[in-house]
Amino acid sequence: QQQVKQSPQSLIVQKGGISIINCAYENTAFDYFPWYQQFPGKGPALLIAIRPDVSEKKEGRFTISFNKSAKQFSLHIMDSQPGDSATYFCAARDDYKLSFGAGTTVTVRA
Amino acid sequence: GAGVSQSPRYKVAKRGQDVALRCDPISGHVSLFWYQQALGQGPEFLTYFQNEAQLDKSGLPSDRFFAERPEGSVSTLKIQRTQQEDSAVYLCASSLVHPGQAGELFFGEGSRLTVL
């Protein structure tokens, strides 16, 4: 069964807009929550990550918000650019094993 | 190159054939993982090596799947008697240390297997 639920499946945003992707989990053993960016024909690449003792982490235009009590976390992409068009995966780690969400395909329209 | 290298990038197999997929991790990386990514889905864990030791193979779908890393560097994922449901991208990833020690995971570009 999928341990990390991700939504939406896809989204379209105008250049300069904000993209928001949401994830939820149940396993309280998860201790590390990374987001990966994947372009067609490429492997996933780490974008940004957060630990559950932090409620927010920002790196450039990318921000993770984390709600431990609700077991939810989200990725915000500010000032979206055409180069951000990709598939984004949330993930959660239990010891060494990553569980991935199903992915969100983001399309940024110029 | 400096990244994780996988070969072949594309493999077409007839149902029932055996295939072998190779992974060259980043030099010096202790941990190595195989993930399976079905079309339109997120990667799913298959197996984990620390050096040459296979510490977890709980994600391998069946006994037709076998992975090895005999010298603690290059790894091979072997699939025997391939079935159509084995069609997927097989991703290899490596990490300098045990991932629990906050080691970043680096993924290769994957090997896309199509079983006809």
Side-chain angles (χ1 to χ4, degrees):
Chain A
Q1 74 284 15
Q2 196 159 43
Q3 294 204 57
V4 181
K5 292 184 166 51
Q6 183 172 349
S7 63
Q9 187 175 0
S10 63
L11 67 89
I12 299 173
V13 63
Q14 291 297 120
K15 180 180 174 183
I18 302 173
S19 303
I20 302 174
I21 306 169
N22 300 298
C23 288
Y25 66 96
E26 286 298 326
N27 185 352
T28 55
F30 289 144
D31 64 355
Y32 175 73
F33 300 85
W35 285 86
Y36 286 84
Q37 181 188 56
Q38 186 175 32
F39 293 104
K42 303 295 186 182
L46 180 66
L47 189 63
I48 185 173
I50 197 167
R51 295 193 180 275
D53 54 348
V54 176
S55 62
E56 185 175 282
K57 183 174 181 180
K58 182 175 181 179
E59 289 185 0
R61 297 184 292 107
F62 301 91
T63 300
I64 301 178
S65 297
F66 189 86
N67 185 329
K68 188 174 180 178
S69 61
K71 299 198 200 78
Q72 295 176 348
F73 58 112
S74 61
L75 176 70
H76 291 61
I77 307 173
M78 314 299 285
D79 186 26
S80 296
Q81 300 297 311
D84 297 333
S85 296
T87 300
Y88 293 81
F89 294 94
C90 61
R93 190 184 67 193
D94 179 3
D95 193 7
Y96 52 81
K97 190 181 299 187
L98 280 176
S99 296
F100 286 83
T104 298
T105 300
V106 174
T107 302
V108 182
R109 297 240 193 265
Chain B
V4 177
S5 178
Q6 293 188 243
S7 62
R9 290 293 318 279
Y10 304 92
K11 176 69 178 177
V12 178
K14 291 183 179 177
R15 191 174 59 177
Q17 280 186 331
D18 297 349
V19 300
L21 308 176
R22 176 188 168 105
C23 173
D24 281 87
I26 295 172
S27 178
H29 277 201
V30 168
S31 296
L32 184 144
F33 298 81
W34 286 96
Y35 283 81
Q36 181 190 55
Q37 186 173 22
L39 188 64
Q41 298 297 316
E44 292 201 0
F45 172 83
L46 293 178
T47 187
Y48 165 52
F49 290 86
Q50 191 167 335
N51 295 307
E52 70 279 2
Q54 188 174 22
L55 299 185
D56 187 341
K57 56 182 181 179
S58 63
L60 296 176
S62 76
D63 59 7
R64 296 186 295 104
F65 286 70
F66 172 76
E68 60 183 4
R69 194 186 185 196
E71 296 179 0
S73 55
V74 171
S75 177
T76 303
L77 176 67
K78 297 179 180 177
I79 310 172
Q80 297 178 323
R81 305 181 304 281
T82 53
Q83 304 294 315
Q84 284 189 322
E85 61 262 28
D86 299 336
S87 296
V89 174
Y90 291 86
L91 294 165
C92 177
S94 70
S95 174
L96 181 60
V97 296
H98 185 293
Q101 297 170 327
E104 181 179 345
L105 207 55
F106 295 87
F107 282 86
E109 295 189 331
S111 291
R112 180 180 294 278
L113 173 64
T114 303
V115 182
L116 303 177

